[in-house]
Amino acid sequence: MRHVEHVMGTVVSIDLADDLPEPTLRALVADTCAWLHEVDARFSTYREDSEVSRFRRGELDLAGCSPDLRHVLDACADLWRATDGYFDAYAGGLLDPSGYVKGWSVEVASARLAEAGSVNHCLNAGGDIRSRGRTAAGAPWRVGIRHPWQPDKLSWVLAITDGAVATSGTYERGDHVRNPRTGAPARGLRSVTVAGPDLALADSYATAALAMGEPGIAWLAKLVPDGYESAVVTEDTRAFTTAGLPVAL
Amino acid sequence: MRRSTAAAVGTLTGAALIIGVRLSVATPAAPVASSASVDLADPNLDAEPAATGTAAAGKSGKKGESDSSGEAAGSSDEEAAAGTGLKNGDHQGTAVKNPYGTIQVTIRVSGGKITAAGATYPTTADSATINPPAIATLKQETLQAQSADIDAVSGATFTSESYVKSLQAALDKAGA
């Protein structure tokens, strides 16, 4: 069963491949969408009444935060350290954990689906993917990485069963990623894809590497022992991959 | 690679000069477990050809409990080159502990001059990721522009509006 949901300022494509009764699949899709809208309501920085907005204004202290928000704050702090400060939820001055929240919400959505009986699915949140199991045809999920200049072409195709694929790039929303050390727009890399076990981390790592610019290529190599492979395209069209990138045959 | 080797040798030579002052005192064996990052027999270095470790090890009275790459501690020719005070031979500096393990510098003196320098570095699990052999790199390849049968597209985050024109939207339409 496939479903497309507009949420969190983007579009989430839900593809459930389990051989389950249609009402069950329908309920699973509904639960997934409800969770994503809940995350949007609680974590959006565009909503005055969200938990994040209230925390920003000091109306909530750390003790008053939900366990989810505390997890997000902890994760953002860990990522700040793990990325030499290039993943910075406070880059704009005020807390903005959106760079972590989207990936995390989809990671949680996938775990919830698995717990509820869907062990074969693929969720794509605006280009960031979390899959489990196999397609209805019994094959690994084939995930194309968009060509950074040709929207209808792919630069790589990956074969993924249980895992995440996240891409950060400058070609979709312009200079939305900045180098937190200089405040200047990220330069040097056109597209960074990270594939690994956790979508929240893969997404954050990809964003951090993009912010680093060309030094991000060497930094990504250090993530390989943790299970995160990567593919990079520079602004001058050079392409780089780690040796273990799960490229489809 | 060539440049980083030169940089490493430069740094080590500096360290070796400091250590060199104390070489006459003692050269304790260090619990280090891997080979020197700079090969003392490296032909690129301006050294007189010598088999690393073997000849010197024969002269060495005792060795440390853990074999440290075959470099013997403190064996040296008796003759010191005039003027410099540096004795010919391989000299091992004091093992220095840092948060990542124990590092020990070795220099080779020939004709009163330091002709090569190397260092052992730890290879424990904790330190493996920060030491030279463990650091992999990304390989360069040709950027492709292919079309293929796929289930999903990963790309820079699109907005709700730009989704309509995306490949993912076409996939969703086809699969619906």
Side-chain angles (χ1 to χ4, degrees):
Chain A
M1 175 173 288
R2 296 181 75 120
H3 178 83
V4 172
E5 187 75 8
H6 288 250
V7 62
M8 299 190 289
T10 186
V11 176
V12 180
S13 304
I14 301 168
D15 190 346
L16 305 186
D18 304 279
D19 190 14
L20 294 168
E22 197 170 321
T24 309
L25 291 171
R26 215 180 288 281
L28 289 170
V29 167
D31 286 349
T32 303
C33 293
W35 160 250
L36 296 173
H37 283 285
E38 180 193 326
V39 169
D40 195 27
R42 289 169 55 196
F43 293 90
S44 172
T45 55
Y46 295 99
R47 294 171 185 245
E48 287 296 304
D49 60 342
S50 74
E51 195 179 351
V52 166
S53 293
R54 287 191 291 136
F55 182 75
R56 268 176 156 189
R57 291 194 299 266
E59 293 166 26
L60 270 181
D61 60 6
L62 208 54
C65 290
S66 67
D68 283 341
L69 180 53
R70 276 205 296 274
H71 163 79
V72 167
L73 293 173
D74 283 348
C76 287
D78 288 344
L79 279 161
W80 185 82
R81 283 186 288 269
T83 62
D84 295 336
Y86 280 94
F87 180 93
D88 190 353
Y90 291 88
L94 286 170
L95 170 70
D96 183 359
S98 309
Y100 179 81
V101 165
K102 188 180 63 153
W104 166 75
S105 68
V106 175
E107 183 66 35
V108 170
S110 173
R112 287 183 168 203
L113 278 171
E115 211 168 296
S118 169
V119 291
N120 299 286
H121 59 250
C122 182
L123 307 178
N124 185 355
D128 298 324
I129 292 159
R130 180 63 161 95
S131 71
R132 272 176 210 268
R134 289 167 177 267
T135 65
W141 298 94
R142 289 171 61 88
V143 176
I145 299 175
R146 210 207 90 162
H147 190 285
W149 283 276
Q150 301 176 52
D152 59 335
K153 289 285 194 292
L154 308 166
S155 29
W156 291 277
V157 177
L158 309 183
I160 309 280
T161 49
D162 290 6
V165 182
T167 300
S168 282
T170 56
Y171 53 80
E172 219 20 274
R173 290 178 296 164
D175 294 331
H176 72 292
V177 175
R178 288 175 175 271
N179 179 335
R181 297 189 178 180
T182 63
R187 285 281 176 271
L189 305 182
R190 175 83 171 171
S191 169
V192 176
T193 300
V194 176
D198 183 290
L199 181 59
L201 294 182
D203 193 9
S204 304
Y205 291 152
T207 306
L210 193 77
M212 288 177 198
E214 201 144 323
I217 297 174
W219 181 79
L220 286 167
K222 298 182 196 170
L223 301 176
V224 170
D226 296 332
Y228 291 87
E229 304 286 341
S230 43
V232 177
V233 180
T234 62
E235 278 176 349
D236 53 4
T237 75
R238 286 169 298 141
F240 296 86
T241 57
T242 53
L245 188 72
V247 176
L249 295 174
Chain B
M1 195 62 198
R2 191 71 182 81
R3 208 205 262 170
S4 64
T5 305
V9 169
T11 309
L12 292 167
T13 307
L17 283 171
I18 298 164
I19 293 160
V21 179
R22 300 184 56 192
L23 279 177
S24 54
V25 184
T27 51
V32 283
S34 79
S35 61
S37 60
V38 177
D39 186 357
L40 291 177
D42 187 345
N44 291 326
L45 294 169
D46 200 14
E48 282 179 17
T52 304
T54 49
K59 288 185 190 173
S60 177
K62 62 170 187 178
K63 295 186 82 181
E65 275 180 21
S66 61
D67 180 37
S68 57
S69 78
E71 299 290 349
S75 66
S76 61
D77 288 357
E78 290 308 311
E79 44 178 300
T84 66
L86 295 178
K87 290 181 178 177
N88 288 345
D90 291 350
H91 303 281
Q92 213 163 39
T94 307
V96 179
K97 276 191 178 157
N98 70 21
Y100 308 109
T102 305
I103 292 175
Q104 191 162 28
V105 174
T106 305
I107 58 166
R108 169 164 298 159
V109 175
S110 180
K113 289 178 183 169
I114 296 168
T115 55
T120 54
Y121 47 83
T123 53
T124 58
D126 271 357
S127 62
T129 51
I130 56 128
N131 280 305
I135 294 174
T137 182
L138 278 67
K139 66 174 192 289
Q140 194 170 346
E141 55 181 71
T142 311
L143 180 61
Q144 295 193 29
Q146 54 177 311
S147 302
D149 190 21
I150 47 166
D151 300 301
V153 185
S154 180
T157 309
F158 42 71
T159 61
S160 215
E161 292 74 39
S162 59
Y163 163 77
V164 187
K165 296 172 286 179
S166 74
L167 197 51
Q168 182 63 42
L171 281 176
D172 289 335
K173 223 172 189 177

